[in-house]
Amino acid sequence: MATTPRGLKAGGRRLWRCVTADFELDMTAAEQLAQACYTVDLLADLRAEVAESGLKVDSPQGVRVSPFVVEMRQQRLLLAKLIAGLGLPEELVDDPAGA
């Protein structure tokens, strides 16, 4: 089993353990999984920011969608690509973004 990457939070560690318990990864796949785990953690941080600041923000152009919401969308897409690139079943990621 590959060594758990440093700096992972609860969600990232959970994904890492789940995958490495059932699958043998080469170095490239382990790095890709690490990036997926960091993405899971970033999504949790973004979700917390949205919970604190709300879905919308005031701007000179009027009320807009929060940049945190926009970034969550981008990170969800990245996570889906990383998981698909590893060839793992999607059910291994238990909706890390909470949506």
Side-chain angles (χ1 to χ4, degrees), residues 31-54:
E31 177 56 31
Q32 191 166 349
L33 175 59
Q35 292 307 312
C37 293
Y38 289 125
T39 302
V40 165
D41 289 342
L42 178 56
L43 280 164
D45 292 344
L46 290 167
R47 191 172 56 251
E49 289 289 343
V50 169
E52 184 177 317
S53 64

Side-chain angles (χ1 to χ4, degrees), residues 46-59 62-73:
L46 290 167
R47 191 172 56 251
E49 289 289 343
V50 169
E52 184 177 317
S53 64
L55 295 173
K56 298 177 184 176
V57 295
D58 291 321
S59 76
V63 177
R64 301 242 204 226
V65 173
S66 166
F68 296 123
V69 173
V70 175
E71 186 60 25
M72 283 176 64
R73 182 187 62 195

Side-chain angles (χ1 to χ4, degrees), residues 54 67 75 78 86 92 94:
Q75 293 301 316
L78 173 61
L86 286 167
L92 285 177
D94 61 344

